[in-house]
Amino acid sequence: MSHFDVAEVRSRFPILQQEVNGQPLVYLDNAATTQKPESVIEAIANYYRHDNANVHRGAHALSDRATEVFEGAREKVAQFIGAPSKDQILWTRGTTESINVVAASWGEQNLTAGDRVLVSAMEHHANIVPWQMIAQKRGANVEPIPVDADGAIDMAAFESLLDERVKMVAVGHVSNALGSVNPVAHIIELAHKAGAKVLIDAAQSIAHWPVNMVELGCDFYAFSAHKMFGPTGMGVLYGKRELLEAMQPYQGGGEMIESVSFAGTTYNQLPYKFEAGTPNIAGAVGLAAAVDFVQGLDRSAADRHEAELLHRARAELAAIGGYPLVGKAESAVAVLSFVSDFAHPQDIGMILDQQGIAVRTGNHCAQPIMDQFGIPGTVRASFSLYNTHDDVDRLIAGLKKAKMFLA
Amino acid sequence: MTEFGVDVSAEDIVDTLSFFDDWEERYKYIIDLGKELPPLAESAKTEQNLVRGCQSQVWLDSQLREGKLYFVADSDAFIVKGLLAIVLAAYNGKSAAQVADYDIDAYFDELNLLSHLSSTRGNGLKAMVQRIQNEGRAAL
Ligand SMILES: Cc1ncc(COP(=O)(O)O)c(C=O)c1O
């Protein structure tokens, strides 16, 4: 079993080498966004220094170069997630926009009155609200797939919800609020058997494990660059070719057309049909560098390292007492979500912040599951591969101090 | 009933906080201030009194008595409650004109430690101050 050299990986992240409130920063808000390695920062800076031009347009050397890196990034991402073709990789602003594209374009053509869209009860609002918007327009219904007290999807309940009116099942691979890992392969199999399409929200999983679109078999797959060490404002939507071909464009403008006249406009081919306007070229460059960073790691060693951190943090949190864990699904990754018996999550977050420890507090854009658990929100410490055992120690010490203060 | 901030003035708070040189003492003091806030009656924890834009729940109730405004506020988070006490100390028992004109930013600046707290979304301080100012203007 290979050893994961966390000190070496960590040294590649300049932002982590700073002090906050007089103490070395402990960054445990990775589920919100991960930090960026030097290589990603450099790739973006270099692009602007040397290659910047608009893509697919000018007949000049810089534009050719920009187009080459831009399309090279698409090729790289296609290979990263095992997509059959780079035409099935659409650039978006992030997971949220990716889901909105599917809900608006696919939903418009495929949902009719009485149809059902199933989402898990612990979805991020980004995987609930776009469905509600299109459902309302089309007279369809969005229904929750029950989640049990531990934060795991109730698969029996899911199976019994499936019928021929279910047209779409949209679930996260990993819950951002609880860290639960959902059995997406099984969900896809059952949904397909019932004739439904499946969208996987991979915002929280993409940084953790390798995936392969062909093996997974989902119809749509969405993620954000910024949660996998890449830049903000950049995301990916993968879709099955026949579905994307049949969908209407999401927005109109330049790049997405083949020809425009006042008599009528014809649309460009995939993936450009869905990419109106000048795209986030630097974002694509940064994402490509992030893919290189991830692929340069021993991913299973990194995964074991994160699992160790989570395991230890869970055990030591329990040992402090007064901090009940929220979400105890057997299969969980990188997220320690908890409340406290003696104070509001916000109090805990503020005391940790004073100690240079960054966590997130609140409902994590997953209000329905917080309501189900009857809590206003949680404190969420989320780990990435550059976190250390020392970070866990600092978190635990910080929580002991918060308890002293507030209990 | 006695409202908070009639006995403790904004100046007292600025003075006391300037004594402390570490965050732990400051936060202990803020939490203690919060504990001195008279509780808001459950019946006053209405939808209408709920201040939006807060991660924790914050309620604000007000009364106009003999030309002076009196506020009672509550929160389910300790530190936020302390921050509310700090804000109320600046406003309670003042006339509508005084409330409307009070330079809260200068007060926050003096308090120093509040500089980042007062600008953070989610602790509701901004929303609560806005609401107090609106009530001041409405009572003019
Ligand atoms: C599970 C999940 N889905 C969707 C999103 C939305 O991602 P973005 O804000 O990058 O569009 C997030 C990010 O918070 C998330 O955690």
Side-chain angles (χ1 to χ4, degrees), chain A residues 30-34 36 95 203-204 206-207 224-231:
Chain A
N30 294 288
T33 194
T34 58
K36 323 304 170 199
T95 310
Q204 291 299 332
I206 192 71
S224 303
H226 73 95
K227 291 184 200 280
M228 54 164 289
F229 316 106

Side-chain angles (χ1 to χ4, degrees), chain A residues 23 342-347 350-351 353-355 361-362 376 401 405-406, chain B residues 23-24 27-28 31 55-57 76-80 83 116-117 122-123:
Chain A
Q23 291 167 82
F342 44 83
H344 193 277
Q346 195 177 7
D347 289 317
M350 283 171 146
I351 299 286
D353 181 43
Q354 284 301 312
Q355 301 174 78
T361 60
K401 178 155 269 176
F405 246 84
L406 299 160
Chain B
W23 71 269
E24 297 192 30
Y27 271 65
K28 278 200 182 103
I31 291 167
Q55 207 186 91
S56 49
Q57 303 208 74
D76 51 1
F78 290 120
I79 298 172
V80 170
L83 298 175
H116 93 272
L117 290 180
N123 65 30

